[in-house]
Amino acid sequence: MALAQADAQPILLIFADPAPPIQQNEQPYDPNVDLKPHLTPFLDELRKVQVEWYSPAHPTARQFAQRRDLREEQLANPSPVLRAQLARAWGATYVMTVRCTRPPEKAQYEYAITVWELGKRAPVWESEGFQQLATGAGRADADAALQTLGRTIAMRLDGELWASLPRVAEQVRTPAQSPARPREAPTPADEPQRIEQLLREGKLHEALLPLRTLVNAEPENAERRLQLIRLYRRIGMPDAARDELQRALQLFPDNEPLTLEWIELLRAAGDYADAAMRLQAALEQQPHSKPLRLALVDMYLARGDVDAAARALQPLAAHDDSETALRRYLLNGAANTLEDAPTTPLALADAHAHLWLQIATRLLTDFASELLDLRRLALSPNPNPNELRQRSERAVLTALRIGQWLERVQPENGARRTVTHARFACQMLAQAAQHMARFVLSRKPEEEERASLLRVEAMRELEQAQNALPKREP
């Protein structure tokens, strides 16, 4: 590979580390897959290192063999010690070993990659795992999986090992450059538009590497870093998102969107206690931040700590904006003070659908338990008619209030099915309460049977509401 200004970059010398052949159906099977064409273009795109793949036919290898009087077998399969000597002869800074295999009858690639830095005894970077293919994938899908693997490895090396290396100017390549990349590289001015286009088209993995390099080129751009963090989360790389967030918050400790993203990452991991603690600390630094305060209210509501949520919301008592009004409404539901809920409709964004359903589920399941308890008392050997009548009447009124609370929101498209299922569950529970009230008065078994059937069907409908929740995406 001929590159202008190659001496401006450290050399990465890569050795293939093939796995031995295995037996498959009593026949020898070579599991090794050549990762070179799928990894090299993305390493080149980083513009951090000069990539060289080891070959025993390379002039540097031949000259080294003549000086050391090496046998061809030694040159073809160099030992770890010999690899280090060859790397010094190459003038390399880094040595990488790459193994990529496809086990027989498995729809996945397995890989193991190790990087050494000359002069250091232990590896400076290691990674192993697998890249899944779709079942029954054809060649095109297999190539796509290898492209994704190559892109991911390059991106991780850039962020985890070579983050401090400078990114050299765009190189002038020879006409012999691989035909696998016919598209001209975009100019730096076009790169943000290309990334946005890839994201709009759902090509998340393709957008990852250029966005990573753009962040490296613009380290003071907090919005770009936030975009990268959210992309990491969308493609299922929470550890990379966490690492990037820690670096970003060191640069921008008071950045509100980054703080909220950190809280959301903790929440997604189920670490509500740490999330609440960090939100409280952030609020001490920015006591007038409404987004941070509302996020703290949400955190307490998600934990079921109604009193703490009420205290956190109190400083916004004089605010009448829609976001604050929604939290008051949710707090009414969580505290079961449904008579205090607002009478005007409130917009329910998809982002709040999970919290809304959590509170609605608690209301409905508690009410279903009340109906069960009412049934138990009604079927007891010595029922109290007055108490049963009063409790059954209260149950009918409670179902009405829950239904009114559920009707107060106008959901976005993503949450519409969830809200519809929850409302239908409430309607069936309200009917169950009415049948139970009739049973208390009439003692007709069919009324109790109808109430029990409706209660069971309501719980199934509530489960459907959970299944219909919109997927949470950063």
Side-chain angles (χ1 to χ4, degrees), residues 20 52 72 87-88 96 181 193 208 256 354 359 424 442 451:
E52 296 277 357
E72 288 297 324
R88 290 188 180 91
M96 175 189 287
R181 298 174 61 82
Q193 288 77 14
L208 186 54
E256 197 173 80
H354 291 74
I359 296 170
F424 190 35
S442 68

Side-chain angles (χ1 to χ4, degrees), residues 146-162:
L146 290 169
Q147 287 284 97
T148 298
L149 176 58
R151 183 185 301 111
T152 302
I153 292 168
M155 174 274 303
R156 288 192 56 200
L157 282 165
D158 185 38
E160 299 171 14
L161 179 61
W162 297 327

Side-chain angles (χ1 to χ4, degrees), residues 293-294 296-317 322-342 346 348 352 355-356 358-360 362-363 405 409:
R293 184 163 296 282
L294 293 178
L296 183 61
V297 174
D298 291 347
M299 191 65 56
Y300 284 133
L301 288 174
R303 292 172 60 184
D305 194 339
V306 177
D307 292 339
R311 289 193 298 270
L313 189 59
Q314 181 57 35
L316 301 179
S322 60
E323 287 292 309
T324 306
L326 178 66
R327 277 24 176 241
R328 290 197 192 97
Y329 160 82
L330 293 173
L331 186 58
N332 291 144
N336 205 358
T337 54
L338 305 180
E339 62 279 2
D340 297 331
L346 296 167
L348 180 67
H352 292 117
L355 182 54
W356 180 87
Q358 179 181 327
I359 296 170
R362 191 178 303 134
L363 286 170
W405 185 85
V409 292

Side-chain angles (χ1 to χ4, degrees), residues 49-313:
V49 295
Q50 179 185 344
V51 181
E52 296 277 357
W53 286 79
Y54 173 77
S55 168
H58 193 282
T60 301
R62 304 309 303 178
Q63 293 171 10
F64 181 84
Q66 290 175 2
R67 290 198 305 268
R68 298 296 183 93
D69 195 23
L70 298 177
R71 301 188 305 274
E72 288 297 324
E73 181 182 350
Q74 291 176 285
L75 204 59
N77 300 287
S79 66
V81 173
L82 188 54
R83 287 174 182 172
Q85 295 172 351
L86 283 163
R88 290 188 180 91
W90 235 276
T93 302
Y94 299 99
V95 174
M96 175 189 287
T97 59
V98 175
R99 173 177 292 185
C100 183
T101 60
R102 182 169 181 180
E105 299 180 355
K106 285 190 178 181
Q108 67 183 37
Y109 294 106
E110 297 180 359
Y111 66 93
I113 297 175
T114 306
V115 180
W116 288 266
E117 185 174 347
L118 262 66
K120 297 184 179 181
R121 300 185 65 176
V124 293
W125 191 86
E126 295 179 275
S127 181
E128 62 180 23
F130 63 89
Q131 178 68 42
Q132 195 72 37
L133 287 83
T135 304
R139 179 174 179 79
D141 291 325
D143 286 345
L146 290 169
Q147 287 284 97
T148 298
L149 176 58
R151 183 185 301 111
T152 302
I153 292 168
M155 174 274 303
R156 288 192 56 200
L157 282 165
D158 185 38
E160 299 171 14
L161 179 61
W162 297 327
S164 61
L165 289 183
R167 187 167 180 251
V168 303
E170 190 74 39
Q171 304 293 343
V172 179
R173 302 183 184 275
T174 65
Q177 183 67 19
S178 169
R181 298 174 61 82
R183 179 184 58 81
E184 292 185 2
T187 63
D190 293 336
E191 194 73 344
Q193 288 77 14
R194 182 170 77 98
I195 293 170
E196 294 294 342
Q197 180 67 25
L198 290 171
L199 293 175
R200 282 194 298 270
E201 295 174 356
K203 300 177 180 178
L204 304 183
H205 286 87
E206 290 187 31
L208 186 54
L209 185 58
L211 182 55
R212 170 77 263 180
T213 55
L214 189 60
V215 167
N216 290 344
E218 302 177 9
E220 301 299 321
N221 191 327
E223 292 183 6
R224 290 287 178 213
R225 286 186 180 272
L226 182 60
Q227 190 179 32
L228 176 62
I229 291 161
R230 288 174 174 171
L231 182 55
Y232 277 139
R233 293 183 58 206
R234 290 178 68 184
I235 62 177
M237 298 180 65
D239 291 339
R242 183 185 293 265
D243 293 342
E244 188 62 36
L245 259 172
Q246 289 176 334
R247 288 192 290 268
L249 286 171
Q250 288 176 352
L251 291 171
F252 314 102
D254 298 327
N255 185 282
E256 197 173 80
L258 286 171
T259 300
L260 291 172
E261 192 69 21
W262 180 249
I263 299 308
E264 178 61 20
L265 192 64
L266 291 171
R267 185 214 58 74
D271 196 350
Y272 292 103
D274 192 14
M277 180 183 68
R278 290 177 181 272
L279 267 173
Q280 289 172 330
L283 270 172
E284 290 177 3
Q285 300 297 320
Q286 304 176 65
H288 301 296
S289 170
K290 183 184 294 185
L292 290 177
R293 184 163 296 282
L294 293 178
L296 183 61
V297 174
D298 291 347
M299 191 65 56
Y300 284 133
L301 288 174
R303 292 172 60 184
D305 194 339
V306 177
D307 292 339
R311 289 193 298 270
L313 189 59

Side-chain angles (χ1 to χ4, degrees), residues 372-441:
L372 268 179
D373 196 44
L374 191 58
R375 175 181 178 272
R376 179 184 60 80
L377 291 175
L379 295 176
S380 64
N382 298 302
N384 185 324
N386 289 332
E387 180 186 356
L388 284 172
R389 185 174 63 256
Q390 292 174 9
R391 286 189 64 170
S392 64
E393 290 173 354
R394 286 199 302 270
V396 172
L397 291 175
T398 298
L400 176 63
R401 291 195 185 100
I402 296 175
Q404 290 172 339
W405 185 85
L406 296 176
E407 291 292 336
R408 289 291 180 264
V409 292
Q410 295 178 336
E412 290 183 353
N413 287 336
R416 196 176 303 279
R417 288 181 57 231
T418 287
V419 172
T420 299
H421 283 297
R423 287 171 176 170
F424 190 35
C426 183
Q427 291 169 12
M428 285 191 286
L429 285 176
Q431 293 175 33
Q434 293 168 4
H435 283 285
M436 184 56 67
R438 295 192 192 107
F439 173 68
V440 167
L441 295 175

